[in-house]
Amino acid sequence: MRPEVISDSLKDVAEGEQCGAGKGWTMMSLPRCPMVRLRVCRFTFRGLVFFTVAVALLYGFLLMDGARSAGKPPWLELNTCSPRNNVAFLKTHKCASSAIQNILFRYGDKHNLHFALPVTGNYFGGGRHIFEAGMVRSSPFNKVTPNIFAIHTKWNYEEVKKVMPEDTVYFTIVREPTALFQSLFDYASIGERAGGLTLDEYVRRNPIDASRTDGYVGYNQMTWDLGMPLEDMSNLTAGRELVRRADAQFGLVLVAERMDESLVLLANYLCWELRDVLVLRVNSLRDEFKSSISEESRQALQQRLAPDYLLYNHFLEKFDQQVEAFGRRRMAAEVARLRELMALLVSKCNFVRKEASGLTGRQKPRSYKVDGFVAAQGGEACELFTIANPIYIGLLKEKQRRELLNGTQQAPSKTPSQDS
C-alpha cells in the first residue's frame, strides 16, 4: 500500500494525460445526389467515404505511433549496434545488484576489460563518503582508464564521469522500498546492533533521519546510495530533485521485481547477447532470517521511506514505458528465450544451492545468512557464475596487478558512440 504522501507527491506523474484515449472523429456531411446521376454519385460517395476513412485511420495511427515513440531512445529500436564495453553501474544495496555485478564481472573478465577497483575492500569510500575521482586514480590497480565501474559507492555522477571514457553508458537498479528495507534490516543486523530491537520496535523508535548503521545503512537506502545527505532525507523537494538528476544520468534503471524483463532490456541497452546476462540469484537472504512486520508498522515504515518511494515509483513507471516501447510481444519472446538459455545453462552446469556454512573457497558468501551455489559440472566457465562477489573483486585485483607487473595493461579500446 502506497503512503498517502507518496501518492500525492506523484499525482502529476501517475495521472499523466492519455494521448488520444477516448477520442473519436466525426465524418463531414455530404451533399445529396441528383437522381439522374445516382450511379455515378453512389460511386463518388463510396469512394469519398473510403478515402476519408483511410486518411483518418492513417492520421490516427501516426498520432498514436508518435505518442508511443516520443522520446524513445535508439537502443530500444530494432537496429544494428556494437557491444558497449564502457559501462558504469551504481550498485544499490539489497536490490539484486550482486547478480548484476556478477554479470559485469564475468563479461569484463572474459573480454579482458579493465575495472575501477578500490585500494582495499569492495567499496569506494566505505559507503559513508561520496565518491571522488581520486578514489580510482590513487588505486594501484587503476593505471589506465577503466572500462567498467561496478563497485559499491555513494554515487557522484560528475566524479564518476572524470574516470570513465566519454562513451560510457550508465545504469542502476531499484527495488520496492519496504521489501528492500526489510531485507536490509535482517541482512545487516540493524535491529541487533541497535540493542536487540525487532523490526516493529525499530520502526516505532527511529525517525526518518535516524543515524545509520556503520554510517551508511538505514532508511531510504537507494536515496542514500544515489548521494542524498542524511540531513535532506525528510525534504521531499530535495528528493524530487534527486529523482530528476538520476533520470538524466541513467539511461536505464532496472527493477528487481521484474528481473527477466530487466535482463532483456539490459542486454539491448548494452548491445550484448542474451547469454551474456544469464545469472543466478546470488546473495539472497534465507527465509529463516527474515523478520515479520505488523500492518501498523508497515504503514509507518512506508512513511519513513517516502524518498525511496519517490525514486521507485518514478522509475517503475519509466520501466513500464520502456517495456511498452520495446514491444510487449517482442518482450515476451525475449523473456522466453532468456529462460530457455538459463535452463540450458543449469543443465550444463548442474548448479547446486547450498547454505553458506556448507561452502568454502571462492563460493563462500560474505554473510552466513545467504545461500551460495556450486557448479557440479562444466568446469571454470560454470564456476564463474558461483564466485562470491567480494572474492571475485579480489581475483580481478590480482589479474590487473599481474598485468601491471608484466607491462601488459594497455589503454582500453573505444567502442563506437551510441546515444542512450
Side-chain angles (χ1 to χ4, degrees):
M1 178 177 176
R2 223 183 264 181
E4 229 15 75
V5 63
I6 302 306
S7 301
D8 292 344
S9 66
L10 290 182
K11 188 174 182 181
D12 55 335
V13 176
E15 297 181 359
E17 182 181 357
Q18 300 294 316
C19 295
K23 295 179 181 177
W25 47 274
T26 305
M27 289 181 59
M28 61 181 175
S29 299
L30 294 173
R32 299 176 65 86
C33 299
M35 293 297 293
V36 294
R37 301 177 57 192
L38 181 60
R39 293 184 64 186
V40 176
C41 189
R42 184 176 298 162
F43 172 80
T44 304
F45 176 82
R46 288 175 177 172
L48 185 57
V49 169
F50 177 83
F51 176 76
T52 303
V53 171
V55 170
L57 288 174
L58 178 60
Y59 180 68
F61 173 81
L62 290 174
L63 281 178
M64 291 175 64
D65 190 63
R68 282 197 305 267
S69 302
K72 183 176 180 180
W75 62 269
L76 282 171
E77 302 285 357
L78 281 167
N79 53 21
T80 58
C81 57
S82 298
R84 292 292 206 170
N85 288 339
N86 298 324
V87 179
F89 169 60
L90 168 58
K91 188 178 187 298
T92 46
H93 287 81
K94 305 311 296 175
C95 293
S97 62
S98 291
I100 305 302
Q101 189 182 55
N102 178 264
I103 290 170
L104 296 172
F105 283 174
R106 287 187 286 108
Y107 184 90
D109 194 11
K110 175 183 177 181
H111 294 278
N112 293 312
L113 303 178
H114 299 122
F115 292 86
L117 298 171
V119 176
T120 59
N122 59 337
Y123 277 77
F124 282 119
R128 305 168 187 82
H129 308 292
I130 199 157
F131 178 80
E132 296 177 359
M135 294 175 183
V136 169
R137 292 171 178 164
S138 63
S139 171
F141 309 108
N142 305 305
K143 297 306 179 185
V144 297
T145 302
N147 300 103
I148 296 178
F149 186 107
I151 300 294
H152 267 310
T153 193
K154 191 168 185 184
W155 187 250
N156 185 335
Y157 175 68
E158 294 301 326
E159 290 294 300
V160 174
K161 277 177 59 179
K162 291 179 182 179
V163 301
M164 296 299 293
E166 289 184 5
D167 63 348
T168 297
V169 290
Y170 296 81
F171 75 102
T172 188
I173 185 168
V174 296
R175 181 181 180 184
E176 198 284 322
T178 298
L180 185 159
F181 183 76
Q182 287 183 264
S183 178
L184 185 68
F185 180 86
D186 295 319
Y187 181 86
S189 302
I190 293 175
E192 296 172 30
R193 299 167 70 180
L197 300 179
T198 66
L199 180 53
D200 287 320
E201 291 168 339
Y202 184 88
V203 172
R204 283 199 302 269
R205 297 185 189 184
N206 288 275
I208 189 172
D209 55 356
S211 60
R212 305 185 78 79
T213 303
D214 289 331
Y216 67 94
V217 175
Y219 292 137
N220 298 297
Q221 193 63 47
M222 292 183 292
T223 303
W224 173 272
D225 289 341
L226 272 161
M228 179 77 83
L230 183 60
E231 59 268 22
D232 284 344
M233 284 296 176
S234 58
N235 184 343
L236 284 183
T237 299
R240 293 186 186 94
E241 175 58 22
L242 181 134
V243 171
R244 186 197 63 78
R245 291 198 306 270
D247 189 75
Q249 293 167 8
F250 297 103
L252 174 64
V253 176
L254 311 178
V255 176
E257 291 81 13
R258 296 168 64 177
M259 184 57 77
D260 286 347
E261 294 167 292
S262 290
L263 293 176
V264 169
L265 290 184
L266 180 62
N268 277 265
Y269 183 56
L270 300 180
C271 195
W272 293 0
E273 298 293 332
L274 268 185
R275 66 176 63 91
D276 293 324
V277 298
L278 298 179
V279 72
L280 299 172
R281 188 180 178 186
V282 297
N283 213 37
S284 180
L285 194 69
R286 293 177 59 82
D287 287 342
E288 64 260 35
F289 295 107
K290 296 179 180 179
S291 296
S292 60
I293 185 171
S294 69
E295 184 58 32
E296 181 183 358
S297 294
R298 180 182 297 277
Q299 292 180 14
L301 177 58
Q302 289 174 336
Q303 295 295 330
R304 305 277 195 281
L305 300 177
D308 263 10
Y309 272 105
L310 280 174
L311 186 77
Y312 178 77
N313 289 339
H314 174 84
F315 284 111
L316 178 60
E317 181 178 6
K318 186 170 183 179
F319 185 87
D320 279 328
Q321 293 169 353
Q322 289 176 327
V323 170
E324 190 68 34
F326 186 82
R328 296 286 178 181
R329 290 183 181 178
R330 180 184 171 201
M331 176 60 76
E334 289 294 277
V335 166
R337 193 161 71 92
L338 179 77
R339 292 174 179 172
E340 186 177 308
L341 289 170
M342 192 65 207
L344 291 172
L345 179 69
V346 170
S347 176
K348 171 187 173 183
C349 300
N350 191 16
F351 294 117
V352 179
R353 179 189 292 270
K354 290 190 174 184
E355 294 184 24
S357 59
L359 294 166
T360 59
R362 301 199 299 181
Q363 281 69 41
K364 191 169 184 64
R366 184 179 183 182
S367 171
Y368 68 91
K369 298 180 179 181
V370 302
D371 284 336
F373 294 87
V374 293
Q377 59 193 41
E380 180 71 8
C382 290
E383 192 172 330
L384 293 176
F385 287 83
T386 70
I387 299 175
N389 285 10
I391 294 173
Y392 212 146
I393 291 172
L395 296 174
L396 293 173
K397 287 180 179 179
E398 183 57 31
K399 180 180 180 180
Q400 292 187 188
R401 189 201 307 273
R402 288 196 307 269
E403 290 178 351
L404 283 168
L405 291 174
N406 297 332
T408 59
Q409 193 174 89
Q410 300 175 350
S413 57
K414 296 280 187 176
T415 55
S417 179
Q418 175 184 350
D419 294 335
S420 60

